[in-house]
Amino acid sequence: EDQVTQSPEALRLQEGESSSLNCSYTVSGLRGLFWYRQDPGKGPEFLFTLYSAGEEKEKERLKATLTKKESFLHITAPKPEDSATYLCAVKTGANNLFFGTGTRLTVIP
Amino acid sequence: NAGVTQTPKFQVLKTGQSMTLQCAQDMNHEYMSWYRQDPGMGLRLIHYSVGAGITDQGEVPNGYNVSRSTTEDFPLRLLSAAPSQTSVYFCASSYSPRGGYEQFFGPGTRLTVL
């Protein structure tokens, strides 16, 4: 059965304290791994797509990496405005996206 | 560009009532989908469409109906609301159902079924 697990469930960081969020997956035939950011009361906002092991993408303080079993979202020197829930999703065959339950990140000034 | 719009933002129904959640996009995207989001669970796909006139079931389709008569609109119908359908519903669209799967999400509809 396809499965996506995100850890930790919640993470509190001091401003400037770098860390990583994990997304591990068990799927048959990965066709892409996606990271989204979701602010309270809003829809998810697309961040990155990764397609193959070894691939990396960067955007401001965020960097996403992919291995054959997991993906990491590295946050460098986070700011309070980075506080949000970060969602990971994987695409398998057909048109299905499977989402993890997310990591709720809080950055304290 | 308004992107993906959803109406209403909030809705309260009684068990057994029916209603339609509206979704529209102005980006000329072929692919549109409906998700529900529940506490402690990831977003789950209800139904999706790869183009006008073409729809298919996702992971949790029971109790929901969709149709796609135009590229822009993809309404979700609740046939006979149940408390288990209390959730936040998101509509999303993507320019390609095959690759480059960047999905644009609407702001959501928060539905409560009493």
Side-chain angles (χ1 to χ4, degrees), chain A residues 34 36 38 41-44 46 51 87 91 95-97 99-101, chain B residues 31 35 37 40 42-43 45 48 90 97-98 100-103 105-106:
Chain A
F34 307 84
Y36 286 83
Q38 186 174 24
K42 296 192 175 181
F46 173 79
Y51 289 106
L87 304 174
K91 182 175 186 239
N95 289 290
N96 270 350
L97 262 189
F99 279 83
T101 53
Chain B
Y31 182 90
Y35 292 88
Q37 187 173 41
L43 284 153
L45 183 65
Y48 65 94
F90 289 101
R98 298 187 185 279
Y101 217 72
E102 174 182 351
Q103 291 203 74
F105 282 82

Side-chain angles (χ1 to χ4, degrees), chain B residues 30-103:
Chain B
E30 291 295 324
Y31 182 90
M32 295 186 74
S33 56
W34 277 101
Y35 292 88
R36 59 178 290 173
Q37 187 173 41
D38 301 293
M41 305 190 75
L43 284 153
R44 291 182 292 168
L45 183 65
I46 304 171
H47 284 285
Y48 65 94
S49 169
V50 298
I54 307 169
T55 63
D56 206 346
Q57 296 181 352
E59 186 184 353
V60 288
N62 292 341
Y64 307 95
N65 233 355
V66 292
S67 60
R68 183 101 178 266
S69 56
T70 67
T71 300
E72 294 78 22
D73 301 297
F74 191 43
L76 178 72
R77 280 181 287 278
L78 278 69
L79 308 172
S80 177
S84 60
Q85 293 178 304
T86 294
S87 187
V88 181
Y89 291 85
F90 289 101
C91 178
S93 74
S94 173
Y95 77 92
S96 169
R98 298 187 185 279
Y101 217 72
E102 174 182 351
Q103 291 203 74

Side-chain angles (χ1 to χ4, degrees), chain A residues 19-40:
Chain A
S19 188
S20 295
L21 282 55
N22 178 262
C23 172
S24 63
Y25 59 91
T26 308
V27 298
S28 52
L30 179 73
R31 294 197 173 187
L33 185 139
F34 307 84
W35 283 97
Y36 286 83
R37 169 193 170 123
Q38 186 174 24
D39 292 299

Side-chain angles (χ1 to χ4, degrees), chain A residues 5-104:
Chain A
T5 304
Q6 291 190 247
S7 61
E9 285 188 21
L11 182 63
R12 289 171 64 90
L13 298 173
Q14 290 291 135
E15 184 172 0
E17 179 187 2
S18 302
S19 188
S20 295
L21 282 55
N22 178 262
C23 172
S24 63
Y25 59 91
T26 308
V27 298
S28 52
L30 179 73
R31 294 197 173 187
L33 185 139
F34 307 84
W35 283 97
Y36 286 83
R37 169 193 170 123
Q38 186 174 24
D39 292 299
K42 296 192 175 181
E45 178 187 342
F46 173 79
L47 292 174
F48 303 110
T49 308
L50 301 166
Y51 289 106
S52 55
E55 191 174 357
E56 298 182 353
K57 294 271 179 75
E58 281 189 73
K59 180 180 179 180
E60 296 181 356
R61 294 176 292 282
L62 300 176
K63 178 180 177 181
T65 62
L66 180 66
T67 72
K68 289 187 176 179
K69 297 285 187 186
E70 58 192 348
S71 176
F72 291 94
L73 185 65
H74 307 277
I75 303 176
T76 303
K79 298 183 177 183
E81 53 262 42
D82 294 322
S83 296
T85 295
Y86 290 86
L87 304 174
C88 167
V90 296
K91 182 175 186 239
T92 62
N95 289 290
N96 270 350
L97 262 189
F98 289 97
F99 279 83
T101 53
T103 293
R104 189 173 65 254

